Amino acid sequence: MNDVIIRVASESDLDAIMVIEHASFGSTAWPRESMAFELEPNPARHYFVAHDAGTMVGYGGISLVAGHHGDIMTIAIAAEHRGRGLGRRLMNSMLEVAKSQKAAEVFLEVRADNEVAQSLYRSLGFEQIDLRRGYYQPENIDAVIMKLDFTNTDSSGTPGPRVAAAPATGGKSDPLVLGIESSCDETGIGIVRGTTLLANVIASSMDQHARFGGVVPEIAARAHLEALQPAIREALKTAQVSLLDLDAIAVTNGPGLAGALMVGVGAAKALAVATGKPLYAVNHLVGHVGVDVLERGEVQTPTIALLVSGGHTSLLLVRDLLDDVELLGETIDDAAGEAFDKVARLLGLGYPGGPQIDKAAADGNPAAIRFPRGLTLPKDMDKHRYDFSFSGLKTAVARWVEVAESKGEDFSVADVAASFREAVVEVLVGKAVAACQAHNVPRLLLGGGVVANRRLRDVAAARCAESDIELRIPALDLCTDNGAMIAALGAQLVMAGREASSLNFAADSTLPVTQVQSI
Ligand code: KG4
Ligand code: ZN
């Protein structure tokens, strides 16, 4: 599985970079101060890092003379992560910057004895132009000087090498897109270049909802208003781009809380008018699926997607990300995350409930109490085979606790939490795996905040392994609501050559999942 994210480096990456630098270059490693200097904000320097589940596994940097040429300064991958295509992905990110700044050529030097690296660079379009004898001392190894000429355009007129995420015909390759997400309580601003994540800023109003035990729409909408501008500024700063560099803006226009959606949509329209940039209105749920392009370069289809959060519980059949998304089922009452929040509340645990239940359930026995599994009886299979219901489960837990308390019994909160969690997880995974089997789809993608649940991840992994289903779980900050997924989906639309949305689309709290883009 390839869960590695490529993102722009920052000064706080210095320690982790130096570990790989020393391991890779030994006595010729750059001193810490030199690397620190390289990482300082500087429009002529672009460093990227590769992250695997929070661990730094590689980095690379390019120095650019805008409109002229670029130099690959360094690139290194931690030894145990070589052979995973990370060098290529880092190179692609650096070359994308060079292209966007209209560099005519890019240079690099590589050890003559490093055949693997040379063949990677050749496959990206580099050619040897020189050899410097004994350049690497003290080992006395020659340096091969290579050049990539962007002015050698291919037949499609696209300058430069073919990068991993080949653009769809007719679309712009590697567009720089800013995405705005405001459908629930997270204000998310993401910036991507093609399939490369440059910034993912999230401001959550969760704390303001805590005392109500759930998201309060008016509070969420007001919080979006306050958070949007600073979040946009921060994202632009992180990505080291300006609004004028953008190729497009993308925004969630549904489904979600109407008032919350309207804040994002209004801001996106204003931004599009002010900058003259094309605007893409995209579907939040499809965004959760599209986010996989940031880790894999594409969404492999067909795939079943199980999206579970505080706002939604949906099972999708995705035959094509942009053109064919089918809703197989969804919750007919509470969302899965909402059930966690409500049950946590009645057990006297805090908000949000998911992590609290997870904690309380750690020492509990999941088989202690047999709570109902909603919509799993034979009679439900006709109309509700892939639908979910959690309100009966919540009531059953409330009843059970009431009875125990009225009898004055000293019951175990851990057992109740574990048994409740088991009931939710079994239904979610059971229906998702059944959908994969019934539709002959060997892939399952998870998304939404409930994916943080340890038990859900473990049961999903075990059941998928048994059934030969490939399980995809994006990094957690890409699973919870975020702007990067909206930017990523917007970029896919741009690359596919889709027309921008008009400014007439509206926020639609019940937008169907079949409508990937609103015109
Ligand atoms: O996707 P998300 O951040 O956004 C909203 O839907 O607002 O999901 C938040 C939801 C909450 O209901 C929270 O209780 C749930 O995800 N959640 C969890 C866990 N962590 C968060 N549910 C179960 N187990 C967890 N560990
Ligand atoms: Zn969501």
Side-chain angles (χ1 to χ4, degrees):
M1 243 194 260
N2 193 355
D3 280 342
V4 178
I5 293 187
I6 310 286
R7 63 161 173 76
V8 172
S10 74
E11 290 166 276
S12 59
D13 292 318
L14 180 61
D15 288 343
I17 285 180
M18 286 314 293
V19 172
I20 302 177
E21 174 78 14
H22 283 296
S24 304
F25 299 107
S27 62
T28 59
W30 287 355
R32 188 182 164 84
E33 306 74 57
S34 312
M35 189 66 85
F37 175 76
E38 289 291 302
L39 294 177
E40 278 173 17
N42 177 344
R45 291 265 196 287
H46 299 267
Y47 275 74
F48 293 88
V49 293
H51 252 257
D52 187 353
T55 307
M56 166 109 35
V57 294
Y59 58 89
I62 185 169
S63 144
L64 281 167
V65 182
H68 195 249
H69 78 276
D71 291 290
I72 301 291
M73 305 294 287
T74 182
I75 178 163
I77 308 292
E80 61 277 26
H81 293 277
R82 290 179 193 152
R84 298 177 69 190
L86 301 180
R88 176 178 297 276
R89 290 181 59 192
L90 282 167
M91 283 297 292
N92 279 334
S93 297
M94 293 188 273
L95 294 176
E96 283 164 16
V97 182
K99 259 198 290 185
S100 73
Q101 299 216 354
K102 313 259 180 307
E105 41 197 22
V106 174
F107 297 90
L108 61 77
E109 60 210 25
V110 52
R111 288 168 64 110
D113 59 355
N114 191 345
E115 257 310 315
V116 176
Q118 286 173 50
S119 87
L120 163 65
Y121 302 146
R122 274 194 295 274
S123 76
L124 288 165
F126 281 87
E127 283 168 7
Q128 177 172 348
I129 54 163
D130 200 0
L131 188 73
R132 284 197 200 130
R133 301 262 172 225
Y135 182 84
Y136 294 100
Q137 293 298 337
E139 303 117 296
N140 203 33
I141 307 277
D142 299 343
V144 175
I145 314 297
M146 301 181 94
K147 179 175 100 165
L148 170 70
D149 195 344
F150 280 120
T151 54
N152 280 343
T153 53
D154 62 23
S155 56
S156 70
T158 313
R162 298 203 61 81
V163 293
T169 43
K172 185 180 192 315
S173 66
D174 305 316
L176 184 67
V177 180
L178 178 139
I180 301 179
E181 156 62 36
S182 75
S183 67
C184 192
D185 58 342
E186 271 93 18
T187 312
I189 303 295
I191 300 180
V192 305
R193 192 186 297 282
T195 58
T196 302
L197 177 65
L198 302 186
N200 188 19
V201 174
I202 297 170
S204 174
S205 59
M206 189 198 292
D207 295 348
Q208 299 176 49
H209 306 288
R211 68 196 173 97
F212 303 101
V215 177
V216 182
E218 290 75 15
I219 295 179
R222 170 167 285 274
H224 287 308
L225 266 178
E226 285 165 8
L228 259 171
Q229 278 214 12
I232 291 174
R233 262 201 299 275
E234 190 186 333
L236 290 168
K237 187 164 165 246
T238 306
Q240 298 180 15
V241 297
S242 81
L243 280 177
L244 297 180
D245 297 328
L246 297 176
D247 292 305
I249 296 163
V251 64
T252 304
N253 76 313
L257 302 170
L261 286 167
M262 262 183 252
V263 176
V265 166
K269 286 183 180 177
L271 212 52
V273 171
T275 58
K277 305 291 180 186
L279 178 60
Y280 289 79
V282 305
N283 189 302
H284 175 87
L285 294 175
V286 183
H288 275 299
V289 180
V291 79
D292 208 23
V293 303
L294 297 177
E295 291 185 349
R296 288 226 267 200
E298 63 172 341
V299 173
Q300 290 192 336
T301 50
T303 185
I304 297 290
L306 172 69
L307 308 181
V308 276
S309 76
H312 34 75
T313 305
S314 311
L315 200 52
L316 313 181
L317 168 54
V318 184
R319 294 190 194 86
D320 183 279
L321 180 67
L322 301 186
D323 291 309
D324 193 349
V325 183
E326 182 184 335
L327 179 69
L328 296 179
E330 60 188 336
T331 180
I332 59 168
D333 39 56
D334 293 345
E338 207 177 346
F340 273 96
D341 295 338
K342 288 179 174 172
V343 167
R345 197 168 183 201
L346 69 89
L347 290 177
L349 307 169
Y351 175 84
Q356 302 282 343
I357 297 254
D358 246 357
K359 209 155 79 193
D363 311 317
N365 172 9
I369 310 153
R370 173 84 195 168
F371 286 126
R373 272 67 172 152
L375 300 181
T376 54
L377 299 175
K379 72 175 170 63
D380 301 317
M381 288 303 110
D382 223 19
K383 268 175 103 178
H384 293 297
R385 178 177 294 263
Y386 299 121
D387 286 332
F388 303 93
S389 166
F390 297 109
S391 98
L393 169 60
K394 171 202 66 194
T395 310
V397 177
R399 202 62 44 82
W400 192 95
V401 170
E402 242 173 61
V403 170
E405 278 173 348
S406 70
K407 288 190 197 153
E409 278 172 15
D410 199 9
F411 66 90
S412 153
V413 171
D415 284 352
V416 178
S419 302
F420 158 75
R421 181 177 68 172
E422 201 65 8
V424 176
V425 166
E426 260 189 26
V427 178
L428 290 174
V429 176
K431 293 207 176 203
V433 168
C436 288
Q437 288 166 335
H439 291 87
N440 213 2
V441 171
R443 272 174 223 103
L444 174 62
L445 175 78
L446 303 186
V450 179
V451 172
N453 194 283
R454 191 68 257 169
R455 185 74 188 141
L456 174 64
R457 299 165 83 94
D458 290 348
V459 172
R463 297 286 302 280
C464 285
E466 271 166 33
S467 307
D468 274 336
I469 295 167
E470 185 192 1
L471 179 65
R472 289 286 310 149
I473 309 183
L476 200 57
D477 57 352
L478 297 178
C479 276
T480 51
D481 288 349
N482 66 84
M485 68 186 196
I486 302 307
L489 180 54
Q492 292 292 309
L493 289 165
V494 174
M495 287 191 273
R498 299 298 161 89
E499 279 202 22
S501 305
S502 73
L503 287 181
N504 296 327
F505 70 85
D508 181 351
S509 61
T510 59
L511 186 70
V513 73
T514 43
Q515 193 164 338
V516 177
Q517 181 190 0
S518 297
I519 301 293

